[in-house]
């Protein structure tokens, strides 16, 4: 990232950290290099994602043990929680991390940054609502314009597939396709009951804008299993709450892909066609990884598309001052360093220069020669001043 | 009409005879491409602009993907091995050519008592041995095996289960052959048909119509190699129970080499007064047997031995110093060490270059690379870690390493600029118009051991028994 990119990156991180801290989340960091089996053994990433990890042999690789450049933000946080924080019933954590994925086209970024939160121990639907509102507030404060929120529900989708009564192998195949983003398989399936066809038609082809849509779905799925209806009720609770809190969204069950670990509501944020964030509930992840039965939900925002959407060079509000020595005489050099120190002490950003070249981008250029006074050039006001002491310099630039 | 030169990469080994036959039938034969060939560069009998080079099948997809060759013919196994890991490579698999040999399958020891892969219990940390590490990993992910370790080997994967690996992803001719190895196929991944592959840029830009015109009448429907989705929901987390064989009870596990070192090792054992049935004589077995009841023996590739000794699968092994040093360059803290030089199989590990290149030593070479006349320098080697170290130590930069699987001299001068390889007499190098500009070291066969196992109580004495026997044999 170039200086301009880094300014935007830091701005985004600062906003994210401030928001998270105000909601009571605490920052954590996990290693960049992790054991591969952390990601394969839980069955929490799809084979498609696991094929694209950067993995290699560790220092003692003769055992076949491999390490991986972290391909996902949530699983390491879950491990961190299990190993260190599991005595806390509730843990609100956030992180800023880079994640790595293998190239597919030769044009993609291999390293991406994301900012995320994980709310461990949040049992009720209110935890999901909290994640959505926090993500939305963060993006709003970052200065992102219109962001669309799309909602789906992994539990509902899994129960929907189960309604078809397939054998376990076929059911797995259908769910795999869906996780890899291929919904056509479900569209082609014909239910044994007309109500299932109607339900599919409603869920796959319509996009609800309020909880009323889900209430309508509930009305046409009276014959569905209790598990399906329970997942639907959970979804209704979340959307009703979002309605009451004036949070706009659309319900699109297809707005889910990739992560096998989601069990409840899933959401993604879009700015135009760009996916800028996503998250959801993953109640089974911690127990699958050997921890207690701790429900959890979280979200991640994707730095790269967000930075693309933010306005160009974002100033950091710092006025740059150049202290320039006209000669390399020891007295001049000392005077320059001393003045720069005083300026920095007074809260300014002071750079030193001893070369003869035209400088640009400074608010002030202060020239120092052997015996002479300090010559201040006001680059904005286009005027020159001559003063005799550091105090007078500080007084002049503070206006 | 002028045609641009078109280059074919053709397979040695398993597919050589059938490919030669196929090319003859379609009217694309290359003179000298037959089972007896010792030539690597071939000319087309029909088309003056068409030439070919003979490679190990394993090298062909890589050579075509990087654009050194427009076309290649090889088994689907090595194509899948590349494409599983690098789907975005410039390799296009053009067509199934309709002839083939054997299958790639996931096999396990018949002692496990399983017949299908989905009968494997969940929650185990599976050890999967394979010549195809990428395919093996893809299989493990598709079948959601959870925690697994891939053990890549140069060959003889069938010798590892059940003691040294739980599963093997390997090529086999058929059930009978597997059964003879006491293995059972848990899942057939795909039949290994011969495929025509091409470089994407060549297909997009070059006029290849005459060649494709000859080949296309023989194209057949491609095999469906997509592996079915596997069980999505988690199985019980019961671990795979270790299979108990006589092997576990053996206090000392010894690995003996197959291939070139097999003959001299047999003689050494004879001189040492050690008689291992199934290692010498008519009936050769991957599991020779000894009268010493505390000794377990397997015959595997010498290239794989240092790693297998490091991970504790074997206590002792007879391999070459070259492979030991190759291993130690990759894993400097490995517990493997040389216990005794055995005197036979002497070779030099040399740096060689085409006789046409104006460089007689490594300093000349460095200058050429620094001046940009040979940059980046392409280096072909079986010893990728030794080669890497040599190039770094001698500040030859920039370079590109091309891993090879034998017959590396064939890569020069077209597909590589420098060779780091072993040579016994230097004759092969001379035949290929190469000259030696540096010697890394001299290597011969040696007995290697695991430092940690040597100090174990009880083992020390038995290892000393071997050392004494071999010392005596070396002196004779």
């Amino acid at each position: 990232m170039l200086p301009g990119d880094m300014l935007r990156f830091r701005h985004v991180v600062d906003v994210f950290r401030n928001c998270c801290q105000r909601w009571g989340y605490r920052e954590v960091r996990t290693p960049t290099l992790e054991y591969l089996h952390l990601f394969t053994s839980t069955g929490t990433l799809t084979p498609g994602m696991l094929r694209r990890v950067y993995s290699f042999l560790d220092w003692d690789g003769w055992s076949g043990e491999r390490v991986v450049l972290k391909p996902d933000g949530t699983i390491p946080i879950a491990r961190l929680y299990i190993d260190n924080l599991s005595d806390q019933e509730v843990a609100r954590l956030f992180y800023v991390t880079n994640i790595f994925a293998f190239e597919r086209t030769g044009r993609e970024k291999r390293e991406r940054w994301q900012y995320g939160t994980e709310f461990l121990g949040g049992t009720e639907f209110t935890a999901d609502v909290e994640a959505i509102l926090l993500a939305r507030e963060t993006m709003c404060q970052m200065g992102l314009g219109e962001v669309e929120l799309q909602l789906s529900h992994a539990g509902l989708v899994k129960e929907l597939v189960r309604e078809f009564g397939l054998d376990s192998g076929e059911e797995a195949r259908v769910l795999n396709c869906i996780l890899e983003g291929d919904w056509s398989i479900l569209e082609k399936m014909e239910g044994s009951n007309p109500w299932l066809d109607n339900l599919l038609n409603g869920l796959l082809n319509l996009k609800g804008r309020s909880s009323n849509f889900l209430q309508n779905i509930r009305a046409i799925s009276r014959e569905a299993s209790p598990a399906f209806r329970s997942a639907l009720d959970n979804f209704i609770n979340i959307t009703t709450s979002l309605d009451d809190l004036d949070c706009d969204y659309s319900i699109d069950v297809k707005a889910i892909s990739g992560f096998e670990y989601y069990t409840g509501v899933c959401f993604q944020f879009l700015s135009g066609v760009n996916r800028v964030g996503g998250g959801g509930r993953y109640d089974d992840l911690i127990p699958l990884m050997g921890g207690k039965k701790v429900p959890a939900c979280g979200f991640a925002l994707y730095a790269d598309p967000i930075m693309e959407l933010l306005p160009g060079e974002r100033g950091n509000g710092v006025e740059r001052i150049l202290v320039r020595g006209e000669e390399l005489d020891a007295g001049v050099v000392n005077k320059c360093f001393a003045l720069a120190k005083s300026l920095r002490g007074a809260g300014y950003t002071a750079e030193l220069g001893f070369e003869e070249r035209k400088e640009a981008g400074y608010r002030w250029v202060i020239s120092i020669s052997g015996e002479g006074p300090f010559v201040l050039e006001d680059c904005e006001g286009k005027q020159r001043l001559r003063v005799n002491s550091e105090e007078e310099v500080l007084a002049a630039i503070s206006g | 009409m002028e045609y641009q030169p078109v280059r074919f990469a053709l397979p040695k080994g398993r597919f050589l005879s059938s490919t030669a036959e196929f090319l003859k039938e379609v009217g694309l034969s290359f003179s000298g491409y037959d089972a007896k060939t010792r030539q690597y560069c071939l000319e087309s009998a029909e088309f003056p602009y068409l030439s070919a080079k003979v490679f190990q099948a394993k090298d062909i997809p890589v050579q075509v993907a990087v654009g050194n060759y427009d076309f290649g013919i090889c088994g689907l196994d090595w194509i899948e091995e590349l494409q599983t890991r690098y789907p975005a490579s410039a390799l296009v698999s053009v067509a199934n050519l309709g002839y083939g040999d054997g299958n790639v399958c996931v096999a396990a020891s018949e002692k496990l008592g399983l017949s299908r892969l989905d009968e494997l219990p969940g929650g185990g940390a599976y050890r999967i041995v394979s010549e195809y590490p990428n395919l093996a990993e893809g299989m493990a992910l598709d079948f959601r095996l959870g925690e697994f370790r891939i053990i890549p080997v140069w060959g003889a994967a069938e010798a590892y289960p059940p003691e040294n690996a739980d599963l093997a992803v390997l090529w086999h001719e058929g059930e009978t052959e597997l059964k003879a190895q006491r293995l059972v196929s848990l899942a057939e991944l795909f039949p290994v048909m011969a495929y025509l592959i091409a470089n994407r840029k060549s297909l997009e830009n070059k006029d290849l119509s005459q060649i494709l015109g000859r080949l296309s009448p023989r194209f057949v429907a491609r095999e469906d190699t997509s592996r079915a989705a596997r069980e999505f929901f988690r199985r019980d987390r019961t671990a795979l129970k270790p299979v108990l064989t006589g092997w576990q009870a053996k206090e000392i596990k010894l690995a003996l080499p197959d291939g070139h070192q097999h003959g001299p090792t047999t003689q050494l054992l004879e001189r040492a007064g050690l008689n291992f049935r199934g290692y010498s004589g008519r009936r050769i077995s991957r599991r020779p047997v000894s009268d010493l009841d505390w000794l377990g023996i397997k015959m595997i590739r010498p290239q794989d031995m240092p790693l297998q000794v490091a991970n504790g699968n074997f206590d002792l092994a007879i391999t070459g110093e070259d492979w030991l040093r190759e291993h130690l360059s990759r894993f400097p803290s490995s517990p493997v060490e040389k216990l005794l030089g055995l005197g036979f199989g002497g070779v030099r590990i040399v740096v060689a270059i085409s006789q046409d290149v104006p460089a007689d030593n490594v300093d000349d070479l460095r200058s050429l690379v620094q001046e940009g006349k040979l940059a980046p320098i392409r280096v072909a080697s079986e010893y990728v870690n030794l080669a890497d170290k040599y190039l770094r130590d001698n500040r030859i930069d920039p370079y590109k390493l091309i891993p090879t699987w034998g017959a590396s001299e064939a890569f020069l001068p077209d597909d590589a600029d420098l060779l780091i390889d072993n040579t016994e007499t230097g004759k092969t190098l001379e035949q290929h118009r190469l000259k030696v500009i540096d010697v890394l070291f001299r290597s011969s066969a040696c007995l290697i051991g695991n430092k940690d196992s040597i100090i174990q109580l009880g083992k020390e004495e038995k290892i000393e028994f071997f050392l004494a026997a071999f010392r005596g044999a070396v002196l004779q």
Side-chain angles (χ1 to χ4, degrees):
Chain A
M1 288 187 228
L2 297 173
D5 301 322
M6 278 311 295
L7 279 178
R8 280 182 292 159
F9 181 81
R10 286 284 168 225
H11 162 72
V12 171
V13 172
D14 289 347
V15 171
F16 174 71
R17 293 183 72 231
N18 285 336
C19 288
C20 289
Q21 281 166 348
R22 280 201 303 270
W23 281 71
Y25 287 72
R26 291 176 302 153
E27 186 166 9
V28 287
R29 181 163 285 187
T30 61
T32 300
L33 212 56
E34 292 273 13
Y35 286 113
L36 179 62
H37 64 74
L38 178 65
F39 298 92
T40 59
S41 62
T42 49
T44 43
L45 298 182
T46 62
M49 292 178 79
L50 286 168
R51 274 169 194 268
R52 293 174 46 228
V53 300
Y54 280 93
S55 69
F56 39 90
L57 291 172
D58 203 358
W59 68 276
D60 58 349
W62 57 81
S63 65
E65 182 77 88
R66 281 196 301 169
V67 287
V68 63
L69 291 176
K70 183 169 29 176
D72 170 75
T74 298
I75 292 171
I77 301 281
R79 205 268 311 269
L80 174 141
Y81 171 79
I82 293 168
D83 289 350
N84 306 287
L85 303 170
S86 56
D87 56 330
Q88 301 181 9
E89 270 184 48
V90 170
R92 286 181 165 91
L93 305 173
F94 76 93
Y95 62 87
V96 175
T97 190
N98 44 359
I99 58 165
F100 302 84
F102 222 63
E103 280 278 7
R104 265 189 296 206
T105 60
R107 290 181 295 275
E108 292 169 50
K109 282 192 174 169
R110 290 171 291 198
E111 178 180 5
R112 289 175 220 158
W113 284 84
Q114 66 180 42
Y115 329 107
T117 70
E118 311 296 349
F119 183 177
L120 301 134
T123 324
E124 299 300 331
F125 69 90
T126 48
D128 304 300
V129 174
E130 175 173 322
I132 291 168
L133 294 181
L134 170 55
R136 226 171 60 120
E137 179 183 308
T138 307
M139 283 184 287
C140 178
Q141 295 206 8
M142 282 172 185
L144 280 181
E146 194 70 20
V147 174
E148 185 195 348
L149 167 62
Q150 291 183 340
L151 300 178
S152 177
H153 197 288
L156 192 72
V157 171
K158 284 177 193 168
E159 293 305 330
L160 177 67
V161 172
R162 215 163 271 169
E163 293 290 335
F164 286 91
L166 307 170
D167 67 47
S168 69
E170 183 60 14
E171 188 173 293
R173 195 175 73 82
V174 171
L175 280 168
N176 261 338
C177 285
I178 291 173
L179 282 166
E180 303 284 6
D182 176 14
W183 287 82
S184 61
I185 188 156
L186 207 54
E187 285 159 359
K188 284 179 213 146
M189 279 167 61
E190 285 186 17
S192 47
N193 297 313
W195 72 264
L196 198 51
D197 287 341
N198 292 338
L199 181 65
L200 262 188
N201 190 34
L203 273 177
L204 296 183
N205 299 326
L206 299 175
K207 284 187 184 173
R209 296 274 168 196
S210 78
S211 57
N212 292 338
F213 169 68
L214 295 176
Q215 296 285 9
N216 297 339
I217 295 290
R218 196 173 201 285
I220 60 169
S221 56
R222 284 184 201 286
E223 294 169 57
S225 68
F228 179 89
R229 292 171 71 80
S230 157
L232 189 57
D233 286 344
N234 172 261
F235 204 3
I236 289 172
N237 281 339
I238 293 165
T239 47
T240 306
S241 182
L242 291 173
D243 289 341
D244 296 344
L245 292 162
D246 288 330
C247 175
D248 291 337
Y249 57 84
S250 65
I251 296 168
D252 180 356
V253 288
K254 296 181 190 172
I256 172 178
S257 67
F259 297 89
E260 287 192 34
Y261 49 66
Y262 287 139
T263 53
V265 70
C266 306
F267 49 89
Q268 60 181 21
F269 294 99
L270 296 154
S271 175
V273 291
N274 294 304
R275 198 160 170 260
V276 293
R281 174 164 286 275
Y282 53 95
D283 287 349
D284 294 341
L285 183 63
I286 308 276
L288 262 178
M289 292 174 67
K292 293 180 201 161
K293 200 166 166 27
V294 176
C297 63
F299 71 86
L301 302 179
Y302 313 129
D304 301 278
I306 288 177
M307 281 166 57
E308 296 260 317
L309 290 164
L310 290 178
E313 180 109 6
R314 181 176 283 267
N316 58 355
V318 176
E319 290 189 339
R320 295 167 66 206
I321 300 172
L322 178 69
V323 178
R324 180 155 67 197
E326 298 287 353
E327 50 214 77
L328 275 175
D329 167 80
V332 173
V333 170
N334 292 343
K335 218 168 152 184
C336 288
F337 274 98
L339 174 62
K341 186 179 174 188
S342 303
L343 286 166
R344 285 195 299 272
Y348 295 100
T349 297
E351 289 172 45
L352 288 151
F354 295 93
E355 302 83 14
E356 268 194 44
R357 60 171 168 247
K358 193 150 175 62
E359 307 288 354
Y362 294 101
R363 171 73 179 82
W364 295 90
V365 176
I366 306 166
S367 303
I368 300 173
S369 56
E371 298 298 317
F374 297 97
V375 179
L376 274 72
E377 191 178 339
D378 177 352
C379 304
E380 257 176 30
K382 305 285 179 209
Q383 56 168 328
R384 275 181 171 234
L385 302 169
R386 286 168 191 275
V387 296
N388 291 316
S389 69
E390 285 186 7
E391 289 74 24
E392 287 175 82
V393 171
L394 286 168
I397 62 173
S398 65
Chain B
M1 180 173 171
E2 277 284 302
Y3 282 94
Q4 285 177 279
V6 174
R7 309 181 73 207
F8 245 100
L10 297 176
K12 287 173 84 163
R14 248 177 22 222
F15 276 108
L16 192 151
S17 304
S18 46
T19 304
E21 185 67 19
F22 171 84
L23 290 171
K24 200 172 147 196
E25 283 167 20
V26 299
L28 273 180
S29 52
F30 291 89
S31 41
Y33 183 54
D34 53 54
K36 289 181 205 144
T37 192
R38 292 193 62 81
Q39 259 179 282
Y40 291 118
C41 298
L42 311 170
E43 299 299 327
S44 159
E46 273 92 347
F47 301 108
Y49 61 89
L50 181 63
S51 62
K53 200 184 240 184
V54 184
F55 287 96
Q56 299 282 357
K58 198 173 190 172
D59 289 322
I60 292 176
V62 180
Q63 286 299 315
V64 174
V66 300
N68 286 342
Y69 292 82
D70 305 295
F71 284 122
I73 293 179
C74 66
L76 185 59
D77 48 349
W78 296 115
I79 302 171
E80 286 276 304
E81 172 66 5
L82 181 80
Q83 288 193 321
T84 301
R85 183 72 174 140
Y86 305 103
S89 84
L91 182 78
V92 179
S93 119
V94 180
N96 181 349
L97 297 177
Y99 60 96
D101 194 9
N103 283 280
V104 171
C105 75
V106 187
S109 162
E110 57 186 22
K111 290 192 173 122
L112 281 183
L114 304 175
S115 59
R116 293 204 333 258
L117 200 52
D118 52 12
E119 292 169 2
L120 264 184
Y126 301 105
R127 300 162 301 165
I128 308 170
V129 65
S130 187
E131 260 189 274
Y132 312 109
N134 297 335
L135 266 179
E137 180 171 354
M139 179 281 297
L141 295 175
D142 282 345
F143 285 89
R144 298 175 194 239
L145 292 189
E147 194 172 340
F148 57 85
R149 289 178 181 196
I150 307 289
I151 307 167
V153 290
W154 284 66
E158 66 275 13
Y160 291 77
E163 303 91 353
N164 312 124
D166 303 304
L167 299 172
V169 174
L170 45 76
W171 174 84
H172 70 98
E173 273 178 302
E175 287 291 324
T176 331
E177 192 214 17
L178 275 183
K179 219 174 158 49
Q181 306 285 352
R182 303 266 163 104
L183 296 176
V184 56
S185 164
L186 300 184
E188 294 293 318
L189 297 182
F190 52 84
V192 181
M193 303 300 286
Y195 268 68
L196 175 72
I197 54 175
N199 178 271
R200 176 171 292 130
K201 274 193 184 154
S202 302
L203 272 186
E204 287 169 350
N205 300 308
K206 272 189 176 178
D207 182 356
L208 305 168
S209 56
Q210 278 193 322
I211 316 288
L212 286 169
R214 293 279 172 104
L215 293 164
S216 59
R218 297 289 296 272
F219 291 172
V220 300
R222 52 186 63 230
E223 300 289 332
D224 179 15
T225 56
S226 62
R227 287 166 287 281
R230 303 302 159 188
E231 213 179 335
F232 178 77
F233 299 100
R234 301 192 58 76
R235 292 172 293 265
D236 296 338
R237 294 184 65 87
T238 51
L240 188 69
K241 289 197 184 75
V243 176
L244 290 177
T245 65
W247 180 261
Q248 274 85 359
K250 307 289 184 191
E251 280 174 83
I252 300 291
K253 283 120 185 165
L254 170 69
L256 295 177
D258 61 5
H260 295 311
Q261 291 191 7
H262 181 244
T265 306
T266 314
Q267 291 159 19
L268 176 88
L269 294 172
E270 207 172 291
R271 290 201 301 276
L274 296 165
N275 176 29
F276 299 150
R277 291 183 300 283
Y279 189 65
S280 51
R282 281 196 175 177
R283 290 173 63 92
I284 303 292
S285 157
R286 288 269 169 216
R287 294 160 181 270
V289 184
S290 158
D291 290 332
L292 303 167
D293 58 0
W294 43 265
L295 181 67
I297 312 168
K298 285 193 187 188
M299 178 171 70
I300 59 171
R301 291 279 157 93
Q303 292 95 320
D304 295 321
M305 287 179 183
L307 196 101
Q308 292 302 320
V309 172
N311 66 21
N313 276 338
F314 294 90
D315 303 293
L316 296 173
I318 292 178
T319 182
E321 277 177 66
D322 48 352
W323 294 113
L324 174 62
R325 289 217 200 178
E326 165 72 5
H327 169 79
L328 293 175
S329 314
R330 174 73 181 83
F331 302 115
S333 44
S334 162
V336 182
E337 63 181 7
K338 175 178 160 181
L339 301 180
L340 182 68
L342 300 174
F344 62 84
V347 289
R348 289 179 302 153
I349 311 302
V350 299
V351 183
I353 198 160
S354 163
Q355 290 171 2
D356 300 331
V357 176
D360 292 317
N361 52 49
V362 67
D363 297 322
D364 295 348
L365 183 71
R366 187 183 311 111
S367 306
L368 280 178
V369 177
Q370 277 171 358
E371 288 161 17
K373 290 177 186 159
L374 212 56
I377 185 165
R378 298 165 305 162
V379 185
S381 184
E382 278 184 90
Y383 309 103
V384 283
N385 299 306
L386 285 175
D388 218 12
K389 184 172 184 304
Y390 177 82
L391 296 163
R392 279 197 317 264
D393 289 353
N394 286 289
R395 302 186 313 282
I396 295 172
D397 189 62
Y399 63 88
K400 273 188 185 174
L401 254 179
I402 306 167
T404 66
W405 317 98
S408 318
E409 62 277 2
F411 283 73
L412 272 69
D414 304 321
D415 307 316
D417 308 303
L418 195 73
L419 173 71
I420 296 182
D421 204 356
N422 63 59
T423 180
E424 209 174 323
T425 60
K427 273 186 193 159
T428 316
L429 297 179
E430 237 167 72
Q431 279 165 10
H432 284 87
R433 303 197 63 252
L434 304 177
K435 61 182 170 187
V436 172
I437 60 166
D438 203 357
V439 178
L440 270 71
F441 57 90
R442 284 171 194 282
S443 163
S444 58
C446 62
L447 182 72
I448 59 170
N450 185 318
K451 282 178 216 167
D452 302 334
S453 79
I454 290 167
I455 52 167
Q456 275 177 35
L457 211 62
K459 284 197 175 185
E460 201 176 3
E461 202 178 298
K462 296 188 169 83
I463 289 172
E464 191 47 52
F465 163 83
F466 275 106
L467 281 170
F470 287 139
R471 263 190 218 111
V474 172
L475 288 174
Q476 280 177 36

